Short mmCIF file of all heavy atoms in Angstrom, two decimals:
data_model
loop_
_atom_site.label_atom_id
_atom_site.label_comp_id
_atom_site.label_asym_id
_atom_site.label_seq_id
_atom_site.Cartn_x
_atom_site.Cartn_y
_atom_site.Cartn_z
N THR A 115 99.72 -7.70 -64.15
CA THR A 115 99.22 -6.72 -65.11
C THR A 115 98.19 -7.31 -66.06
O THR A 115 97.48 -6.58 -66.74
CB THR A 115 100.40 -6.17 -65.93
OG1 THR A 115 101.09 -7.26 -66.55
CG2 THR A 115 101.37 -5.42 -65.02
N TRP A 123 86.44 -6.29 -61.81
CA TRP A 123 85.27 -6.92 -61.16
C TRP A 123 85.39 -6.84 -59.64
O TRP A 123 84.43 -6.56 -58.93
CB TRP A 123 85.17 -8.37 -61.61
CG TRP A 123 84.01 -9.12 -60.97
CD1 TRP A 123 82.73 -9.15 -61.39
CD2 TRP A 123 84.06 -9.94 -59.81
NE1 TRP A 123 81.96 -9.92 -60.56
CE2 TRP A 123 82.76 -10.43 -59.58
CE3 TRP A 123 85.10 -10.30 -58.93
CZ2 TRP A 123 82.45 -11.27 -58.51
CZ3 TRP A 123 84.78 -11.13 -57.87
CH2 TRP A 123 83.47 -11.60 -57.67
N GLU A 220 60.37 -28.61 -17.49
CA GLU A 220 59.06 -29.16 -17.17
C GLU A 220 58.20 -28.13 -16.45
O GLU A 220 58.71 -27.28 -15.72
CB GLU A 220 59.20 -30.41 -16.29
CG GLU A 220 59.88 -31.57 -16.99
CD GLU A 220 59.78 -32.86 -16.20
OE1 GLU A 220 58.97 -32.91 -15.25
OE2 GLU A 220 60.53 -33.81 -16.50
N TYR A 224 57.50 -28.15 -7.95
CA TYR A 224 58.59 -28.85 -7.28
C TYR A 224 58.81 -28.28 -5.88
O TYR A 224 58.50 -27.13 -5.59
CB TYR A 224 59.88 -28.77 -8.10
CG TYR A 224 59.83 -29.68 -9.30
CD1 TYR A 224 59.47 -29.19 -10.55
CD2 TYR A 224 60.12 -31.03 -9.19
CE1 TYR A 224 59.40 -30.03 -11.66
CE2 TYR A 224 60.05 -31.87 -10.28
CZ TYR A 224 59.69 -31.37 -11.50
OH TYR A 224 59.60 -32.20 -12.59
N PRO A 246 55.49 -29.09 -24.74
CA PRO A 246 54.06 -29.27 -24.95
C PRO A 246 53.20 -28.71 -23.82
O PRO A 246 52.05 -28.39 -24.02
CB PRO A 246 53.91 -30.79 -25.05
CG PRO A 246 55.24 -31.26 -25.53
CD PRO A 246 56.23 -30.33 -24.90
N TYR A 309 33.15 -41.16 -1.85
CA TYR A 309 32.48 -39.98 -2.38
C TYR A 309 31.21 -40.36 -3.13
O TYR A 309 30.23 -39.62 -3.13
CB TYR A 309 33.43 -39.22 -3.30
CG TYR A 309 32.81 -38.01 -3.96
CD1 TYR A 309 32.56 -36.85 -3.23
CD2 TYR A 309 32.46 -38.03 -5.31
CE1 TYR A 309 31.98 -35.74 -3.83
CE2 TYR A 309 31.88 -36.92 -5.91
CZ TYR A 309 31.64 -35.79 -5.18
OH TYR A 309 31.07 -34.69 -5.77
N VAL A 318 42.59 -46.38 -10.54
CA VAL A 318 43.02 -47.18 -9.40
C VAL A 318 44.52 -46.96 -9.22
O VAL A 318 45.33 -47.43 -10.03
CB VAL A 318 42.71 -48.68 -9.63
CG1 VAL A 318 43.08 -49.49 -8.39
CG2 VAL A 318 41.23 -48.86 -9.96
N GLN A 391 54.82 -52.34 -5.32
CA GLN A 391 55.26 -53.43 -6.19
C GLN A 391 54.30 -53.60 -7.37
O GLN A 391 54.73 -53.79 -8.52
CB GLN A 391 55.33 -54.73 -5.39
CG GLN A 391 56.46 -54.77 -4.37
CD GLN A 391 56.40 -55.99 -3.48
OE1 GLN A 391 55.36 -56.66 -3.36
NE2 GLN A 391 57.51 -56.29 -2.81
N PHE A 406 47.91 -54.99 -18.64
CA PHE A 406 47.91 -55.35 -17.24
C PHE A 406 49.26 -55.92 -16.81
O PHE A 406 49.97 -56.55 -17.60
CB PHE A 406 46.82 -56.39 -16.94
CG PHE A 406 45.44 -55.94 -17.37
CD1 PHE A 406 44.86 -56.40 -18.54
CD2 PHE A 406 44.73 -55.04 -16.60
CE1 PHE A 406 43.61 -55.98 -18.94
CE2 PHE A 406 43.47 -54.61 -16.99
CZ PHE A 406 42.91 -55.09 -18.16
#
Side-chain angles (χ1 to χ4, degrees):
T115 56
W123 179 85
E220 294 190 14
Y224 286 96
Y309 177 74
V318 184
Q391 290 173 342
F406 305 101

